[in-house]
């Protein structure tokens, strides 16, 4: 009698711990999967110049500053080593159905500040069009995207929730920037 009871007790305890482990595993997987976060962006000082690219071709170059607010702390789970963020614009021109240009990027390592509140930032990489596609363009879409670099496992690529649409003036600027 005693034997049967203690056996049942052992099995019960074992089942409980297996279930707890399974639940925890599920929680981790979900936490790991949803690497999304809201992003707020704003741009200012939109200027477009007709200039030469480093390859010596005449092309439009856009100048902007940007603000960026996003709390990426929740993305740092047990398995997050670092985040690779990149700010990208997408727009359509006569030449190309889809132009994509990366204007800025940043690596956030585990343990450093991931609650971003950046103001009046300059572009890290120049915003060249491959022609005259920027002057007067009024529908350029900016998004923040990121790769979550894990300690172990895959490398998910995620787009932030939220986008910012801006445009450039109809006239080339002669201002020095
Ligand atoms: C703006 O451009 C995007 C593609 O970059 C396109 O899907 C969208 O329809 C455009 N919106 C307008 C109002 O032209």
């Amino acid at each position: 009698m005693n034997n049967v009871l203690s056996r049942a007790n052992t099995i019960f305890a074992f089942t409980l711990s297996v279930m707890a482990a399974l639940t925890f595993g599920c929680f981790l997987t979900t936490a790991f999967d949803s690497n999304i976060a809201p992003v707020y962006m704003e741009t200012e000082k939109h200027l477009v110049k007709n200039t030469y690219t480093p390859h010596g071709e005449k092309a439009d170059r856009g100048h902007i500053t940007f603000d960026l607010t996003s709390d990426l702390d929740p993305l740092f789970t047990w398995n997050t080593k670092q985040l690779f963020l990149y700010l990208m614009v997408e727009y359509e021109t006569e030449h190309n159905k889809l132009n994509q240009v990366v204007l800025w990027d940043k690596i956030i390592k585990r343990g450093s500040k991931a609650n971003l509140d950046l103001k009046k930032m300059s572009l890290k990489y120049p915003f060249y069009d491959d022609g005259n596609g920027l002057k007067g363009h009024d529908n350029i879409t900016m998004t923040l995207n990121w790769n979550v670099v894990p300690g172990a496992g895959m490398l998910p690529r995620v787009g932030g929730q939220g986008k910012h649409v801006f445009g450039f003036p109809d006239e080339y600027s002669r201002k020095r920037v």
Side-chain angles (χ1 to χ4, degrees):
M1 183 66 186
N2 215 348
N3 240 343
V4 173
L5 251 187
S6 83
R7 228 180 128 141
N9 195 33
T10 310
I11 291 172
F12 182 62
F14 177 68
T15 312
L16 257 190
S17 49
V18 167
M19 283 175 66
L22 280 179
T23 314
F24 189 54
C26 281
F27 158 73
L28 289 183
T29 319
T30 335
F32 186 39
D33 271 348
S34 61
N35 288 305
I36 45 176
V39 179
Y40 167 81
M41 287 160 287
E42 190 59 67
T43 53
E44 278 177 49
K45 296 192 183 163
H46 310 119
L47 291 181
V48 58
K49 294 171 89 88
N50 197 234
T51 178
Y52 288 98
T53 68
H55 307 295
E57 292 144 355
K58 202 102 209 254
D60 282 5
R61 178 172 176 180
H63 295 270
I64 52 172
T65 62
F66 68 92
D67 296 351
L68 176 66
T69 309
S70 187
D71 181 6
L72 301 175
D73 275 330
L75 271 61
F76 281 89
T77 64
W78 63 283
N79 196 22
T80 311
K81 201 166 149 201
Q82 62 184 37
L83 298 178
F84 175 66
L85 312 179
Y86 56 100
L87 189 72
M88 189 171 72
V89 285
E90 291 184 338
Y91 61 101
E92 196 181 323
T93 53
E94 273 176 39
H95 286 284
N96 307 299
K97 181 84 189 135
L98 178 63
N99 299 274
Q100 291 180 311
V101 187
V102 172
L103 300 179
W104 178 87
D105 59 18
K106 183 179 175 68
I107 290 174
I108 302 183
K109 292 214 164 76
R110 188 181 191 85
S112 52
K113 187 177 180 293
N115 191 350
L116 302 178
D117 189 11
L118 308 172
K119 299 265 185 256
K120 302 200 186 331
M121 298 286 292
S122 301
L123 302 184
K124 194 162 160 188
Y125 308 110
F127 184 2
Y128 284 111
D129 184 50
D130 64 354
N132 302 322
L134 295 184
K135 189 176 91 161
H137 202 301
D138 64 355
N139 183 21
I140 297 171
T141 304
M142 173 180 274
T143 53
L144 184 73
N145 308 273
W146 50 80
N147 290 316
V148 180
V149 183
M154 333 165 290
L155 188 109
R157 195 193 137 209
V158 181
Q161 278 176 319
K163 57 180 186 172
H164 169 65
V165 177
F166 66 98
F168 284 111
D170 295 332
E171 301 291 336
Y172 288 125
S173 167
R174 301 229 189 100
K175 263 195 226 166
R176 293 184 57 185
V177 281

